[in-house]
Amino acid sequence: MKSHFKFGYLSAFVYFGLVSASAAQELGPGFTKIKDGIYTFAPDATTTTCSFVVTQEGVVMIDSCNNPLYGRNMLAAIKKVTDKPIVFLIDTETHTDHTGNHFIFSPPATIINHAGAGAGMRKEYNPKRAETLAAQSAEMREAVKGEKLIVPHIEYQGRMTINLGERTFELIYLKNVHSFADTAIWMPKERVLFAAAAAVVKGLQNLRPSVVIADVLASYKLMKALNPEVVVTGHGPVTTTKTFDEYEGFYTLLLKRVGEMAAQGKSLAEIKAELKMAEYTDWNGQDRLGLYIEVAYNSVKK
Ligand SMILES: [Zn+2]
């Protein structure tokens, strides 16, 4: 399998900065091999990214993919690469588009996220989820069979290290960056960072009012200090720390503009109506700019 990847798909290499990753075409569209035994599945520019890492002792997954079809796709891909069991599944956040398909992987996977994750998931769980998904298509109806809420078996505090086989995974809690519990996963030997949804690739997200911009900016600092070679965010393709720089630039400019308008006595509604971020119109999710303005407004008003 190894040599197949190495020599079979040189032409499919994608370059970004100093890093190269190869499209793992035999695993299907959207799969990328980051390094030996490390794969991501990013179906497109905005859909939830999920990943898996093969170790001598079994597989570690990061997030459970956007929907049950993608989850089953992921399971099939893992089985093509290794016959080892999925030992751990680490959630980078609590939202359903990352955690809703635990049932496909657990058992056997033990699920892990920071303290507060289980409570957050219970609060957000939609009991009609299976029914709604099943109505989408015959394939989805099949894929969603067995759907149920499974909250993390293990909740850690602050930081946690997992040693499995030859690999080390450092779990780092990122406070107030996106959901009820956000976890970055750092692989120090491989220099691969799974960065949760503190920043995603060129896109505006469904930003919750609980997000604190100062904490988000602090998380970029923390993650950049790790000096990762490859960064995998919660949504979109494999990238580098340039995504943190882009997002930092965006937030800094947003805070500046919202701050100036608020100082002129403008209301939140007026700022939302007037403020444009023309430098970022190529980002996905433009209709969510208002959410960002609101969070910025609350932070400059403090
Ligand atoms: Zn989310």
Side-chain angles (χ1 to χ4, degrees):
M1 200 47 121
K2 247 182 210 169
S3 62
H4 186 57
F5 282 118
K6 221 172 205 165
F7 305 113
Y9 291 100
L10 276 176
S11 60
F13 266 60
V14 179
Y15 291 91
F16 41 94
L18 295 170
V19 181
S20 69
S22 59
Q25 286 166 340
E26 62 279 59
L27 299 184
F31 279 90
T32 301
K33 182 183 182 185
I34 301 178
K35 295 202 170 189
D36 264 350
I38 309 178
Y39 300 84
T40 62
F41 176 41
D44 54 48
T46 56
T47 299
T48 314
T49 301
C50 49
S51 308
F52 70 97
V53 180
V54 182
T55 81
Q56 291 159 355
E57 305 283 333
V59 173
V60 175
M61 278 187 72
I62 291 96
D63 290 332
S64 68
C65 313
N66 183 267
N67 65 41
L69 268 181
Y70 286 141
R72 301 218 181 260
N73 206 11
M74 184 67 161
L75 186 61
I78 294 172
K79 285 185 173 162
K80 277 185 199 168
V81 173
T82 179
D83 52 12
K84 292 191 166 75
I86 303 166
V87 179
F88 295 116
L89 194 174
I90 307 165
D91 291 333
T92 64
E93 59 170 88
T94 60
H95 300 146
T96 313
D97 59 322
H98 296 252
T99 61
N101 306 306
H102 286 166
F103 72 98
I104 294 172
F105 309 100
S106 181
T110 295
I111 297 158
I112 307 172
N113 194 0
H114 193 265
M121 286 176 61
R122 283 195 182 91
K123 205 164 148 184
E124 289 176 328
Y125 182 66
N126 171 13
K128 298 233 160 168
R129 178 171 181 258
E131 197 183 316
T132 311
L133 284 169
Q136 286 181 6
S137 68
E139 291 82 9
M140 190 65 90
R141 190 159 57 243
E142 196 56 35
V144 80
K145 275 184 184 159
E147 192 273 352
K148 60 177 173 176
L149 174 70
I150 303 178
V151 298
H153 304 105
I154 297 175
E155 293 193 349
Y156 70 97
Q157 290 280 356
R159 290 208 181 210
M160 180 186 196
T161 302
I162 295 175
N163 296 301
L164 190 68
E166 74 283 30
R167 305 216 199 238
T168 297
F169 302 82
E170 290 175 6
L171 281 57
I172 305 167
Y173 175 51
L174 305 177
K175 191 176 141 211
N176 299 332
V177 303
H178 180 71
S179 75
F180 289 111
D182 300 305
T183 293
I185 298 125
W186 170 232
M187 300 180 68
K189 281 177 278 196
E190 299 81 354
R191 293 184 53 223
V192 174
L193 174 70
F194 298 92
V200 298
V201 182
K202 288 196 185 296
L204 301 176
Q205 316 179 67
N206 187 7
L207 200 72
R208 274 66 175 185
S210 58
V211 168
V212 178
I213 295 176
D215 289 334
V216 173
L217 296 176
S219 82
Y220 299 159
K221 206 170 185 182
L222 183 155
M223 292 191 282
K224 279 166 70 173
L226 299 169
N227 193 24
E229 185 186 341
V230 181
V231 174
V232 181
T233 69
H235 295 256
V238 175
T239 185
T240 64
T241 56
K242 75 170 194 279
T243 285
F244 303 142
D245 295 333
E246 286 169 2
Y247 241 98
E248 191 179 332
F250 169 81
Y251 272 125
T252 306
L253 192 58
L254 181 71
L255 283 174
K256 181 175 174 281
R257 287 183 180 158
V258 171
E260 284 165 1
M261 293 169 95
Q264 290 162 14
K266 287 186 172 147
S267 70
L268 174 60
E270 285 170 325
I271 297 173
K272 274 188 179 176
E274 285 174 35
L275 178 56
K276 303 279 176 280
M277 292 291 278
E279 300 83 352
Y280 296 91
T281 47
D282 62 329
W283 284 20
N284 296 301
Q286 288 296 317
D287 55 330
R288 293 174 177 149
L289 181 60
L291 302 171
Y292 282 75
I293 292 172
E294 196 162 336
V295 168
Y297 182 81
N298 291 337
S299 105
V300 301
K301 276 288 183 186
K302 262 177 202 162

